[in-house]
């Protein structure tokens, strides 16, 4: 029992949603389909990841994306460009990757250095290879309910919600955060699942009251433990996208956007940090790369979740 629960005599009720375990299972299914794809086409799906600069966190992400692609039997092309790369050179690389038949997925790691125009780069990526789902065409497909490529983190969150809840139809959902990478596509995905969706952001009034009404809370603000456990509606399902490094009692810890200890006394299920959404983001990228490869080869894409 947590301290908060003990003080109010509330038991821990939440099941832990095991993103790491779900991602491992999905990875096995992807690896099988990589073999099937190569049986059909004589080649394996290829993922190109572009990193500009030396941001340490981005370097770690890019390396782990390449490692996972190789582990699942895909080809990984890693392009590391210097911090002072020009817009023209970056756009020229994207053009080359668009034209390269061995590349099925292109991901340009964000954020880019300040002198570069991210939106112009995203718009230059062939939408059929946009495994990040960030191109306006893919964002538009999602909003229109048409098949496209969906941003990896929200896709991973939806997989976990479906695995935990089954049918989401009719549930009240709140997405806290409105970024193009997570909040906006998450809201569209939940709407497509027939949820009633509220999108909250930094100007939202009375966030506490709105969170307290939600059956599903997706927190994606990047503000450590901003969403208090006592705000959570008893029986709600909580997906925590945040990962912040904090120092407590001299020890560095990773915490999410939700006060995990408090929320576990009220929620029916919750993702941990780490081990919840994080592993799903990278596996969704592998999923999207496989999907893009099948579609580009004119083959029916397998249903993997
Ligand atoms: N930086 C942090 N997360 C992401 C992501 O999902 N895609 C890209 N391109 N950059 C990121």
């Amino acid at each position: 029992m947590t301290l908060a629960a003990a003080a109010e005599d509330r038991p821990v009720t939440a099941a832990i949603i095991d993103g790491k375990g779900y991602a491992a299972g999905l990875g096995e299914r992807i690896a099988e389909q990589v073999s099937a794809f190569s049986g059909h086409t004589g080649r394996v799906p290829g993922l190109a990841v572009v990193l500009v600069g030396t941001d340490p966190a981005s370097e770690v992400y890019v390396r782990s994306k390449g490692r996972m692609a190789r582990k699942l039997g895909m080809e990984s092309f890693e392009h590391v460009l210097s911090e002072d790369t020009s817009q023209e050179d970056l756009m020229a690389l994207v053009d080359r990757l668009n034209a390269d038949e061995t590349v099925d997925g292109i991901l340009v790691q964000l954020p880019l250095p300040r002198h570069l125009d991210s939106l112009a780069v995203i718009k230059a990526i062939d939408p059929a290879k946009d495994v990040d789902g960030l191109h306006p065409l893919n964002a538009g497909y999602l909003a229109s309910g048409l098949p496209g490529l969906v941003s990896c983190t929200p896709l991973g969150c939806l997989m976990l919600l479906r695995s935990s809840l089954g049918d989401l139809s009719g549930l009240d959902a709140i997405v806290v955060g409105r970024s193009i990478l997570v909040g906006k596509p998450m809201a569209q995905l939940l709407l497509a699942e027939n949820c009633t969706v509220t999108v909250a952001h930094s100007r939202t009034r009375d966030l506490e009251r709105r969170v307290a009404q939600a059956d599903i809370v997706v927190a994606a603000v990047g503000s450590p433990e901003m969403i208090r456990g006592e705000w959570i509606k008893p029986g709600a399902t909580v997906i925590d996208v945040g990962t912040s490094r904090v120092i407590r009692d001299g020890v560095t810890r990773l915490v999410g956007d939700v006060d995990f200890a408090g929320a576990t006394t009220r929620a029916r299920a919750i993702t941990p940090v780490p081990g919840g959404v994080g592993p799903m983001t990278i596996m969704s990228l592998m999923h999207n790369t496989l999907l893009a490869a099948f579609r580009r080869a004119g083959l029916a894409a397998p249903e993997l979740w």
Side-chain angles (χ1 to χ4, degrees), residues 3 58 60 111 144 146 149 213 221 232 235 249 254 261 267 286 296:
L3 286 181
S58 293
V60 171
S144 307
L146 296 170
L149 288 163
Q213 289 169 348
V221 273
I232 303 294
D249 306 324
L254 286 184
M286 303 300 129
R296 284 180 8 86

Side-chain angles (χ1 to χ4, degrees), residues 2 7 25 35 42 51 56 60 114 127 137-138 167 176 179 188 196 212 224 234 262 268 270 283-284:
T2 64
S35 296
L51 172 65
V60 171
R114 289 168 60 90
L137 199 66
N138 280 317
D167 184 12
V176 189
S179 67
Q188 293 294 351
T196 303
R268 63 169 281 286
I270 185 168
M283 207 50 81
S284 297

Side-chain angles (χ1 to χ4, degrees), residues 69-85:
R70 287 189 294 277
K71 184 176 166 195
L72 302 187
M74 302 188 195
E75 188 141 20
S76 165
F77 308 98
E78 285 154 56
H79 295 267
V80 179
L81 308 182
S82 65
E83 184 85 25
D84 61 357
T85 296

